[in-house]
Amino acid sequence: MDNNKITKRDTSKKKFPDGFYWGAATASYQVEGGIDNCDWAEAARAERVPVCDRACDHRHRYEEDFDLASELGHNAHRFSVEWASIEPEEGKWNMDEIEHYRKVLNALRARNIKPFITIWHFTLPLWFTESGGFERKDAPEIFARYAAFVVEQLGDLCDHFSTMNEPNVVGSNGWLRGSWPPFKRFALTDLISITNSGRSYEARSRRGLKPLFLYFRVMKNLATAHNQAYKAIKKVSPDTEVSVVKHVIVFAANWNPFNKIKAAFANYSWTSIFMNRTHKHCDSIGLNYYFYTQFGDKRKWRKTDMDWNFAPDHIYDALMRLSKYKKPLFVSESGLADDDDSDRAEYIKKQIEGTWRAIQDGADVRGHLYWSLMDNYEWALGFEKRFGLIEIDYDTLERKIRPSAYVYKEIIKNNAID
Ligand code: BGC
């Protein structure tokens, strides 16, 4: 990243560094449509998650969508490429897909929009998951080979690649909560009920603790996969900037020392363990921020349509937490579901204010990408939740810019907030 940071506090203007990247983010499966050979498509066929089908048909309408991004003043855009489409069979590359993503990149370049590519955003090829996915011992090598291939093929059109999106969300939803593929679940309550059911000790621990051990294995493999991908990418393209996109939950506490210990432990397990394992293999770090939660909190929070606390300003804490790794940062995602667009403009202003404060306090933040450019498939919740700056009519696929997108546009134009 080549923009400079502002070091002096200037509260009158709240200016951002020159060359700051402004834009929005999407992910392949959530917007493209027509992807049917990945684990999420398979889970939809098994009726375990909603069907994605043609999604926003971004696959065929990316030019139109980038025109809208351009009209909204965006100078950066984060999107992901689909592993299942690029490597539909183990070790076999689909060059038509590469050609497609080259066109997408050229369309961004033609509009002077800097691309940030995510190499893997949640969905996995079926051949990979059916053979164990990230539980596989050799998963890091397989992932690194794919990552290096992507950069080799697209690296002349894009200089920033994130290896993976939100590894902790993948691990916890897939192996602890069991709400996402591969739907493995670990809950303390299961352990207790098994303990009370009087089976043999071996049977109890096998059934009860196995998912927990698998979760730890997957988390370790994900960190190793990132590190190996970093090295493999650097071999094929030493100048490419490589980041990881980290979901940070801000865990805080009230006055109670017990709650403070809980918060410290939660921050450590959710954010520090993964980042301690990977930060040496990051040229920069992307922050996905959505959650602030305080142990011992008695306040009644205003909620977003996802029933998440409306706490955009606490993006500050998330950025300050990541800034201790002393790398350039960028906000790779932050946003809210807001069906009638009544809260989005305020959310955007406050999250950008929080980002600005973090810069004043030393965080080297280089860009801000709102989630999401357009409404899309919100994973296990289907299409009902609306995160977009652009509204999608799923019957006609008509796009409509929401009023809040123009508030964001004004901030971008001024490269500053009031
Ligand atoms: C993910 C997105 C998702 C968004 C809103 C992030 O965790 O990267 O894919 O749609 O949050 O839930």
Short mmCIF file of all heavy atoms in Angstrom, two decimals, residues 241-290:
data_model
loop_
_atom_site.label_atom_id
_atom_site.label_comp_id
_atom_site.label_asym_id
_atom_site.label_seq_id
_atom_site.Cartn_x
_atom_site.Cartn_y
_atom_site.Cartn_z
N GLU A 241 1.22 -7.78 -2.43
CA GLU A 241 0.90 -7.57 -1.01
C GLU A 241 -0.06 -8.66 -0.56
O GLU A 241 -1.09 -8.88 -1.19
CB GLU A 241 0.26 -6.19 -0.84
CG GLU A 241 -0.11 -5.90 0.60
CD GLU A 241 -0.57 -4.47 0.79
OE1 GLU A 241 -0.23 -3.60 -0.05
OE2 GLU A 241 -1.26 -4.23 1.78
N VAL A 242 0.28 -9.32 0.53
CA VAL A 242 -0.54 -10.44 1.00
C VAL A 242 -1.05 -10.13 2.41
O VAL A 242 -0.27 -9.77 3.30
CB VAL A 242 0.25 -11.76 1.01
CG1 VAL A 242 -0.63 -12.92 1.46
CG2 VAL A 242 0.85 -12.04 -0.36
N SER A 243 -2.35 -10.30 2.58
CA SER A 243 -2.95 -10.03 3.90
C SER A 243 -3.83 -11.20 4.30
O SER A 243 -4.10 -12.10 3.51
CB SER A 243 -3.81 -8.75 3.81
OG SER A 243 -4.86 -8.96 2.89
N VAL A 244 -4.29 -11.15 5.54
CA VAL A 244 -5.35 -12.05 5.97
C VAL A 244 -6.50 -11.14 6.40
O VAL A 244 -6.27 -10.02 6.85
CB VAL A 244 -4.89 -12.97 7.12
CG1 VAL A 244 -4.72 -12.24 8.45
CG2 VAL A 244 -5.84 -14.15 7.29
N VAL A 245 -7.73 -11.62 6.21
CA VAL A 245 -8.88 -10.82 6.66
C VAL A 245 -9.39 -11.41 7.97
O VAL A 245 -9.86 -12.54 8.02
CB VAL A 245 -9.98 -10.79 5.58
CG1 VAL A 245 -11.27 -10.23 6.15
CG2 VAL A 245 -9.53 -9.94 4.40
N LYS A 246 -9.25 -10.62 9.02
CA LYS A 246 -9.55 -11.12 10.36
C LYS A 246 -10.82 -10.48 10.92
O LYS A 246 -10.95 -9.26 10.95
CB LYS A 246 -8.36 -10.79 11.28
CG LYS A 246 -8.48 -11.31 12.69
CD LYS A 246 -8.34 -12.82 12.76
CE LYS A 246 -8.62 -13.35 14.16
NZ LYS A 246 -10.03 -13.47 14.49
N HIS A 247 -11.71 -11.34 11.34
CA HIS A 247 -12.92 -10.89 12.04
C HIS A 247 -12.53 -10.62 13.48
O HIS A 247 -12.00 -11.51 14.16
CB HIS A 247 -13.93 -12.03 11.94
CG HIS A 247 -15.27 -11.77 12.51
ND1 HIS A 247 -15.55 -11.90 13.85
CD2 HIS A 247 -16.44 -11.42 11.93
CE1 HIS A 247 -16.84 -11.65 14.05
NE2 HIS A 247 -17.39 -11.35 12.90
N VAL A 248 -12.77 -9.40 13.93
CA VAL A 248 -12.45 -9.09 15.33
C VAL A 248 -13.74 -8.78 16.07
O VAL A 248 -14.50 -7.88 15.65
CB VAL A 248 -11.49 -7.88 15.43
CG1 VAL A 248 -11.25 -7.49 16.89
CG2 VAL A 248 -10.16 -8.20 14.75
N ILE A 249 -14.01 -9.51 17.13
CA ILE A 249 -15.11 -9.15 18.02
C ILE A 249 -14.48 -8.35 19.15
O ILE A 249 -13.45 -8.77 19.69
CB ILE A 249 -15.79 -10.40 18.61
CG1 ILE A 249 -16.32 -11.30 17.50
CG2 ILE A 249 -16.91 -10.01 19.57
CD1 ILE A 249 -16.94 -12.61 17.99
N VAL A 250 -15.06 -7.21 19.46
CA VAL A 250 -14.53 -6.45 20.59
C VAL A 250 -15.25 -6.93 21.85
O VAL A 250 -16.45 -6.71 22.02
CB VAL A 250 -14.74 -4.93 20.39
CG1 VAL A 250 -14.24 -4.16 21.61
CG2 VAL A 250 -14.03 -4.47 19.13
N PHE A 251 -14.52 -7.64 22.70
CA PHE A 251 -15.06 -8.07 24.00
C PHE A 251 -14.60 -7.06 25.04
O PHE A 251 -13.39 -6.86 25.23
CB PHE A 251 -14.54 -9.46 24.37
CG PHE A 251 -15.07 -10.57 23.50
CD1 PHE A 251 -14.28 -11.11 22.49
CD2 PHE A 251 -16.35 -11.07 23.69
CE1 PHE A 251 -14.76 -12.14 21.68
CE2 PHE A 251 -16.84 -12.10 22.88
CZ PHE A 251 -16.04 -12.63 21.87
N ALA A 252 -15.55 -6.44 25.72
CA ALA A 252 -15.21 -5.48 26.77
C ALA A 252 -15.84 -5.96 28.08
O ALA A 252 -16.50 -7.00 28.11
CB ALA A 252 -15.73 -4.11 26.37
N ALA A 253 -15.62 -5.21 29.14
CA ALA A 253 -16.17 -5.62 30.44
C ALA A 253 -16.58 -4.40 31.23
O ALA A 253 -16.05 -3.31 31.01
CB ALA A 253 -15.12 -6.40 31.21
N ASN A 254 -17.54 -4.57 32.13
CA ASN A 254 -17.86 -3.48 33.05
C ASN A 254 -16.79 -3.46 34.16
O ASN A 254 -15.73 -4.06 34.00
CB ASN A 254 -19.30 -3.63 33.58
CG ASN A 254 -19.45 -4.87 34.45
OD1 ASN A 254 -18.54 -5.71 34.54
ND2 ASN A 254 -20.59 -5.01 35.10
N TRP A 255 -17.09 -2.85 35.28
CA TRP A 255 -16.10 -2.68 36.34
C TRP A 255 -15.62 -4.00 36.96
O TRP A 255 -14.55 -4.10 37.53
CB TRP A 255 -16.72 -1.82 37.45
CG TRP A 255 -18.00 -2.46 37.94
CD1 TRP A 255 -19.25 -2.24 37.47
CD2 TRP A 255 -18.13 -3.47 38.94
NE1 TRP A 255 -20.16 -3.05 38.09
CE2 TRP A 255 -19.49 -3.81 39.02
CE3 TRP A 255 -17.22 -4.13 39.79
CZ2 TRP A 255 -19.97 -4.78 39.90
CZ3 TRP A 255 -17.71 -5.09 40.67
CH2 TRP A 255 -19.08 -5.41 40.72
N ASN A 256 -16.43 -5.05 36.83
CA ASN A 256 -16.22 -6.29 37.57
C ASN A 256 -14.93 -7.03 37.12
O ASN A 256 -14.82 -7.38 35.95
CB ASN A 256 -17.47 -7.16 37.32
CG ASN A 256 -17.43 -8.45 38.09
OD1 ASN A 256 -16.37 -9.00 38.33
ND2 ASN A 256 -18.62 -8.93 38.45
N PRO A 257 -13.99 -7.26 38.04
CA PRO A 257 -12.73 -7.90 37.66
C PRO A 257 -12.92 -9.27 37.01
O PRO A 257 -12.18 -9.66 36.10
CB PRO A 257 -11.96 -8.06 38.98
CG PRO A 257 -12.70 -7.26 39.97
CD PRO A 257 -14.06 -6.93 39.46
N PHE A 258 -13.94 -10.00 37.46
CA PHE A 258 -14.21 -11.30 36.88
C PHE A 258 -14.59 -11.15 35.40
O PHE A 258 -14.12 -11.88 34.53
CB PHE A 258 -15.33 -11.99 37.68
CG PHE A 258 -15.68 -13.34 37.15
CD1 PHE A 258 -14.76 -14.38 37.15
CD2 PHE A 258 -16.96 -13.59 36.63
CE1 PHE A 258 -15.07 -15.63 36.64
CE2 PHE A 258 -17.29 -14.84 36.12
CZ PHE A 258 -16.34 -15.86 36.13
N ASN A 259 -15.42 -10.12 35.11
CA ASN A 259 -15.78 -9.85 33.71
C ASN A 259 -14.57 -9.42 32.89
O ASN A 259 -14.46 -9.71 31.71
CB ASN A 259 -16.88 -8.78 33.65
CG ASN A 259 -18.22 -9.36 34.07
OD1 ASN A 259 -18.45 -10.55 33.96
ND2 ASN A 259 -19.09 -8.50 34.59
N LYS A 260 -13.68 -8.69 33.54
CA LYS A 260 -12.47 -8.24 32.82
C LYS A 260 -11.62 -9.45 32.42
O LYS A 260 -11.08 -9.51 31.32
CB LYS A 260 -11.66 -7.29 33.69
CG LYS A 260 -12.30 -5.91 33.82
CD LYS A 260 -11.33 -4.90 34.38
CE LYS A 260 -11.99 -3.61 34.82
NZ LYS A 260 -12.77 -2.89 33.83
N ILE A 261 -11.56 -10.43 33.30
CA ILE A 261 -10.80 -11.64 32.96
C ILE A 261 -11.48 -12.37 31.81
O ILE A 261 -10.84 -12.81 30.85
CB ILE A 261 -10.66 -12.57 34.20
CG1 ILE A 261 -9.80 -11.88 35.24
CG2 ILE A 261 -10.08 -13.93 33.83
CD1 ILE A 261 -9.74 -12.55 36.59
N LYS A 262 -12.81 -12.44 31.89
CA LYS A 262 -13.56 -13.11 30.81
C LYS A 262 -13.29 -12.43 29.46
O LYS A 262 -13.06 -13.07 28.45
CB LYS A 262 -15.07 -13.06 31.10
CG LYS A 262 -15.54 -14.18 32.00
CD LYS A 262 -16.98 -14.57 31.75
CE LYS A 262 -17.97 -13.50 32.14
NZ LYS A 262 -19.33 -13.89 32.37
N ALA A 263 -13.33 -11.09 29.49
CA ALA A 263 -13.13 -10.33 28.24
C ALA A 263 -11.71 -10.56 27.70
O ALA A 263 -11.52 -10.77 26.49
CB ALA A 263 -13.38 -8.85 28.46
N ALA A 264 -10.74 -10.54 28.61
CA ALA A 264 -9.34 -10.74 28.17
C ALA A 264 -9.20 -12.13 27.54
O ALA A 264 -8.57 -12.29 26.48
CB ALA A 264 -8.39 -10.58 29.35
N PHE A 265 -9.81 -13.12 28.18
CA PHE A 265 -9.72 -14.48 27.65
C PHE A 265 -10.40 -14.57 26.27
O PHE A 265 -9.88 -15.17 25.33
CB PHE A 265 -10.35 -15.47 28.64
CG PHE A 265 -10.35 -16.87 28.11
CD1 PHE A 265 -9.17 -17.60 28.06
CD2 PHE A 265 -11.51 -17.45 27.62
CE1 PHE A 265 -9.15 -18.89 27.55
CE2 PHE A 265 -11.51 -18.74 27.10
CZ PHE A 265 -10.32 -19.46 27.06
N ALA A 266 -11.59 -13.94 26.17
CA ALA A 266 -12.34 -14.00 24.90
C ALA A 266 -11.56 -13.31 23.78
O ALA A 266 -11.47 -13.82 22.66
CB ALA A 266 -13.71 -13.37 25.08
N ASN A 267 -10.99 -12.14 24.07
CA ASN A 267 -10.20 -11.43 23.04
C ASN A 267 -9.00 -12.27 22.61
O ASN A 267 -8.65 -12.34 21.44
CB ASN A 267 -9.72 -10.07 23.56
CG ASN A 267 -10.85 -9.06 23.57
OD1 ASN A 267 -11.65 -9.00 22.65
ND2 ASN A 267 -10.93 -8.25 24.63
N TYR A 268 -8.38 -12.88 23.64
CA TYR A 268 -7.21 -13.70 23.33
C TYR A 268 -7.61 -14.87 22.44
O TYR A 268 -6.99 -15.11 21.40
CB TYR A 268 -6.57 -14.20 24.64
CG TYR A 268 -5.41 -15.11 24.40
CD1 TYR A 268 -4.17 -14.59 23.98
CD2 TYR A 268 -5.53 -16.49 24.54
CE1 TYR A 268 -3.10 -15.43 23.71
CE2 TYR A 268 -4.46 -17.33 24.28
CZ TYR A 268 -3.25 -16.80 23.86
OH TYR A 268 -2.20 -17.63 23.58
N SER A 269 -8.67 -15.59 22.81
CA SER A 269 -8.99 -16.78 22.01
C SER A 269 -9.54 -16.43 20.63
O SER A 269 -9.27 -17.12 19.67
CB SER A 269 -9.92 -17.78 22.70
OG SER A 269 -10.51 -17.25 23.80
N TRP A 270 -10.32 -15.35 20.55
CA TRP A 270 -10.93 -15.05 19.24
C TRP A 270 -9.95 -14.38 18.29
O TRP A 270 -9.91 -14.68 17.10
CB TRP A 270 -12.18 -14.18 19.43
CG TRP A 270 -12.93 -13.99 18.13
CD1 TRP A 270 -12.89 -12.90 17.32
CD2 TRP A 270 -13.79 -14.95 17.47
NE1 TRP A 270 -13.69 -13.11 16.21
CE2 TRP A 270 -14.24 -14.35 16.28
CE3 TRP A 270 -14.22 -16.24 17.80
CZ2 TRP A 270 -15.12 -15.00 15.40
CZ3 TRP A 270 -15.09 -16.88 16.91
CH2 TRP A 270 -15.53 -16.26 15.74
N THR A 271 -9.15 -13.47 18.82
CA THR A 271 -8.30 -12.68 17.91
C THR A 271 -6.81 -13.02 18.04
O THR A 271 -6.14 -13.27 17.03
CB THR A 271 -8.52 -11.17 18.17
OG1 THR A 271 -9.89 -10.89 17.89
CG2 THR A 271 -7.65 -10.32 17.27
N SER A 272 -6.30 -13.04 19.27
CA SER A 272 -4.83 -13.11 19.40
C SER A 272 -4.25 -14.44 18.95
O SER A 272 -3.20 -14.46 18.31
CB SER A 272 -4.40 -12.84 20.84
OG SER A 272 -4.98 -11.65 21.29
N ILE A 273 -4.92 -15.56 19.27
CA ILE A 273 -4.29 -16.85 18.94
C ILE A 273 -4.01 -16.92 17.44
O ILE A 273 -2.88 -17.18 17.01
CB ILE A 273 -5.16 -18.05 19.39
CG1 ILE A 273 -5.25 -18.08 20.91
CG2 ILE A 273 -4.59 -19.37 18.87
CD1 ILE A 273 -6.10 -19.21 21.48
N PHE A 274 -5.01 -16.62 16.64
CA PHE A 274 -4.81 -16.71 15.18
C PHE A 274 -3.78 -15.68 14.70
O PHE A 274 -2.88 -16.00 13.91
CB PHE A 274 -6.13 -16.55 14.42
CG PHE A 274 -5.98 -16.83 12.95
CD1 PHE A 274 -6.09 -18.13 12.48
CD2 PHE A 274 -5.67 -15.82 12.05
CE1 PHE A 274 -5.91 -18.42 11.12
CE2 PHE A 274 -5.49 -16.09 10.70
CZ PHE A 274 -5.61 -17.39 10.23
N MET A 275 -3.90 -14.46 15.20
CA MET A 275 -2.98 -13.42 14.71
C MET A 275 -1.55 -13.66 15.17
O MET A 275 -0.60 -13.38 14.44
CB MET A 275 -3.46 -12.02 15.15
CG MET A 275 -4.68 -11.50 14.42
SD MET A 275 -4.71 -11.75 12.62
CE MET A 275 -3.19 -10.98 12.08
N ASN A 276 -1.39 -14.21 16.40
CA ASN A 276 -0.03 -14.52 16.85
C ASN A 276 0.61 -15.57 15.94
O ASN A 276 1.81 -15.55 15.69
CB ASN A 276 -0.03 -15.04 18.29
CG ASN A 276 -0.38 -13.92 19.26
OD1 ASN A 276 -0.38 -12.74 18.90
ND2 ASN A 276 -0.70 -14.28 20.50
N ARG A 277 -0.22 -16.47 15.44
CA ARG A 277 0.32 -17.53 14.57
C ARG A 277 0.64 -17.04 13.16
O ARG A 277 1.40 -17.67 12.45
CB ARG A 277 -0.72 -18.66 14.42
CG ARG A 277 -0.80 -19.55 15.64
CD ARG A 277 -1.95 -20.54 15.46
NE ARG A 277 -1.93 -21.55 16.49
CZ ARG A 277 -2.98 -22.30 16.82
NH1 ARG A 277 -4.13 -22.14 16.20
NH2 ARG A 277 -2.88 -23.20 17.76
N THR A 278 -0.02 -15.95 12.73
CA THR A 278 0.09 -15.58 11.30
C THR A 278 0.69 -14.20 11.00
O THR A 278 1.04 -13.95 9.85
CB THR A 278 -1.32 -15.60 10.65
OG1 THR A 278 -2.19 -14.76 11.42
CG2 THR A 278 -1.90 -17.00 10.59
N HIS A 279 0.79 -13.32 12.00
CA HIS A 279 1.10 -11.93 11.65
C HIS A 279 2.45 -11.77 10.97
O HIS A 279 2.65 -10.85 10.17
CB HIS A 279 0.99 -11.02 12.89
CG HIS A 279 2.07 -11.22 13.89
ND1 HIS A 279 3.17 -10.43 13.97
CD2 HIS A 279 2.19 -12.15 14.86
CE1 HIS A 279 3.94 -10.86 14.94
NE2 HIS A 279 3.37 -11.90 15.50
N LYS A 280 3.37 -12.69 11.24
CA LYS A 280 4.69 -12.56 10.59
C LYS A 280 4.59 -12.84 9.09
O LYS A 280 5.50 -12.55 8.33
CB LYS A 280 5.69 -13.52 11.23
CG LYS A 280 6.04 -13.11 12.64
CD LYS A 280 7.33 -13.75 13.12
CE LYS A 280 7.61 -13.29 14.53
NZ LYS A 280 7.60 -14.41 15.49
N HIS A 281 3.48 -13.46 8.69
CA HIS A 281 3.28 -13.74 7.26
C HIS A 281 2.15 -12.86 6.71
O HIS A 281 1.32 -13.30 5.94
CB HIS A 281 2.97 -15.22 7.04
CG HIS A 281 4.14 -16.09 7.37
ND1 HIS A 281 4.28 -16.71 8.57
CD2 HIS A 281 5.25 -16.41 6.64
CE1 HIS A 281 5.42 -17.39 8.58
NE2 HIS A 281 6.02 -17.22 7.42
N CYS A 282 2.13 -11.63 7.15
CA CYS A 282 1.14 -10.66 6.64
C CYS A 282 1.86 -9.39 6.27
O CYS A 282 2.61 -8.84 7.08
CB CYS A 282 0.13 -10.30 7.73
SG CYS A 282 -1.04 -11.59 8.13
N ASP A 283 1.64 -8.90 5.05
CA ASP A 283 2.16 -7.57 4.70
C ASP A 283 1.22 -6.51 5.23
O ASP A 283 1.61 -5.37 5.47
CB ASP A 283 2.29 -7.43 3.18
CG ASP A 283 3.22 -8.47 2.60
OD1 ASP A 283 4.23 -8.79 3.26
OD2 ASP A 283 2.92 -8.99 1.50
N SER A 284 -0.04 -6.87 5.36
CA SER A 284 -1.04 -5.98 5.94
C SER A 284 -2.16 -6.88 6.49
O SER A 284 -2.15 -8.09 6.25
CB SER A 284 -1.58 -5.00 4.89
OG SER A 284 -2.14 -5.71 3.81
N ILE A 285 -3.08 -6.26 7.23
CA ILE A 285 -4.17 -7.05 7.83
C ILE A 285 -5.50 -6.36 7.53
O ILE A 285 -5.63 -5.14 7.67
CB ILE A 285 -3.99 -7.16 9.37
CG1 ILE A 285 -2.63 -7.76 9.72
CG2 ILE A 285 -5.12 -8.00 9.99
CD1 ILE A 285 -2.26 -7.64 11.20
N GLY A 286 -6.48 -7.15 7.09
CA GLY A 286 -7.82 -6.62 6.86
C GLY A 286 -8.68 -6.86 8.11
O GLY A 286 -8.63 -7.94 8.69
N LEU A 287 -9.43 -5.85 8.48
CA LEU A 287 -10.33 -6.00 9.64
C LEU A 287 -11.77 -6.11 9.16
O LEU A 287 -12.27 -5.24 8.44
CB LEU A 287 -10.23 -4.77 10.55
CG LEU A 287 -11.39 -4.64 11.55
CD1 LEU A 287 -11.31 -5.69 12.65
CD2 LEU A 287 -11.46 -3.24 12.17
N ASN A 288 -12.45 -7.16 9.60
CA ASN A 288 -13.91 -7.23 9.46
C ASN A 288 -14.51 -6.96 10.83
O ASN A 288 -14.27 -7.73 11.77
CB ASN A 288 -14.36 -8.61 8.97
CG ASN A 288 -14.08 -8.82 7.49
OD1 ASN A 288 -13.46 -7.99 6.85
ND2 ASN A 288 -14.54 -9.94 6.96
N TYR A 289 -15.24 -5.88 10.95
CA TYR A 289 -15.78 -5.51 12.26
C TYR A 289 -17.31 -5.46 12.23
O TYR A 289 -17.90 -4.75 11.42
CB TYR A 289 -15.25 -4.15 12.71
CG TYR A 289 -16.01 -3.64 13.92
CD1 TYR A 289 -15.79 -4.19 15.18
CD2 TYR A 289 -17.00 -2.67 13.79
CE1 TYR A 289 -16.52 -3.78 16.28
CE2 TYR A 289 -17.74 -2.25 14.89
CZ TYR A 289 -17.49 -2.81 16.12
OH TYR A 289 -18.24 -2.42 17.21
N TYR A 290 -17.93 -6.20 13.13
CA TYR A 290 -19.40 -6.17 13.27
C TYR A 290 -19.87 -6.15 14.72
O TYR A 290 -20.96 -5.68 14.99
CB TYR A 290 -20.03 -7.40 12.60
CG TYR A 290 -19.88 -7.42 11.10
CD1 TYR A 290 -18.85 -8.12 10.50
CD2 TYR A 290 -20.76 -6.71 10.28
CE1 TYR A 290 -18.70 -8.13 9.11
CE2 TYR A 290 -20.63 -6.72 8.90
CZ TYR A 290 -19.59 -7.43 8.33
OH TYR A 290 -19.44 -7.43 6.96
#
